[in-house]
Amino acid sequence: MSTLKIAVQKSGRLSEDSLSLLKGCNINLPKGKNKLIAPSTNFPAEVLYLRDDDIPQYVEDGIADIGILGLNVVKEKKHDVQIDKYLGFSRCRLSLAVPRNIEYQGISFFDGKKIATSYPKLTNEYLKKNGVQAEIHEISGSVEIAPGIGLADGICDLVSTGGTLMSNGLKEVDVILKSEAVLISNPKLSPDKQALLNKVLFRVESSLKANHYKYILLNAPNEKVKTIVDILPGMKSPTVLPLAEAGWSSIHSVVKEDDFWNVIDQLKSYGAQGILVVPIEKMIL
Ligand code: PRT
Ligand code: ZN
């Protein structure tokens, strides 16, 4: 019987969401992350707690079978791994930034300039693609202070809120890569391990889908049921049940989170009452 070895970040921005993703897939783990490897208590899997930068190498070498990490690291490291799923958390972008007072008029600004970054490969590729020749200065942390201390003219770093750039007197001028957490795998898994991975991917998809939908229950006068059903798509079509009180029905359906407030406003205007909105844990279509 095979065991699927899953690499996750030991501690950092990805850790909590990676572990809750596994929990949502009903892959239970013993509490505490003091060990490097922890076997799941209810699924043929073992979790390896690693630095995110090491995950692609471990997956390529087959020490881990799959891994969860930022697309930015996968793209920078260029190991032979397969991206199986975009996971939607830890979203950020890899961007070029320059001091706020620079009148930036396009990527050619960087011609003959120095750029500090922890992402030399992605930065180089982007500059090359745009016909720009710049000197890359690789540093592993605190990239954003480089222009202020005279180390570089600009930087290429991860941005999420933009707060760090702002507090260092920098402005974002070009996005090189949009990133989020992804699930990667070794492209040469044995059939047994591939079957386990397929199981995990199916569960991940069910959880991710569920996050985008809400279950909605409401009461409506019978004469409005048709109108309301028309605006509530549901999985097949909404469920309509008679209420104990004559002339009223209960309607149950599934609504996309993006459409949610629009739908609620319409429902209220059609006389819906007692609207309940419930999160969905899994969605299997
Ligand atoms: O120890 P280990 O090597 O495992 O962790 P790490 O320190 O290398 O990584 P960590 O935990 O900081 O980040 C892990 C992953 O989270 C990254 O590879 C990205 O995929 C993702 N992520 C999402 C981010 C950010 N958002 C982010 N904002 N990683 C880093 N940042 C940093 C950025 O480098 C900059 O210093 O946050 C600052 C900018 O944030 P804002 O909000 O001020 O714009
Ligand atoms: Zn790292």
Side-chain angles (χ1 to χ4, degrees), residues 13-29:
R13 290 168 197 262
L14 295 155
S15 309
E16 204 183 317
D17 286 337
S18 303
L19 292 177
S20 52
L21 183 85
L22 295 180
K23 198 166 173 217
C25 293
N26 199 28
I27 298 176
N28 294 343
L29 297 168

Side-chain angles (χ1 to χ4, degrees), residues 9-15 50-55 69-73 89-93 118-119 140 142-144 157-167 179-181:
Q9 189 188 29
K10 184 168 167 60
S11 62
R13 290 168 197 262
L14 295 155
S15 309
L50 303 170
R51 285 200 61 188
D52 64 348
D53 317 73
D54 295 335
I55 294 177
L69 75 165
L71 179 67
N72 48 299
V73 174
F89 62 83
S90 288
R91 284 185 194 277
C92 58
R93 47 201 190 272
S118 314
Y119 293 84
S140 57
S142 307
V143 174
E144 55 281 343
D157 198 15
L158 298 176
V159 182
S160 50
T161 61
T164 304
L165 290 184
M166 189 149 21
S167 60
S179 183
E180 64 186 90

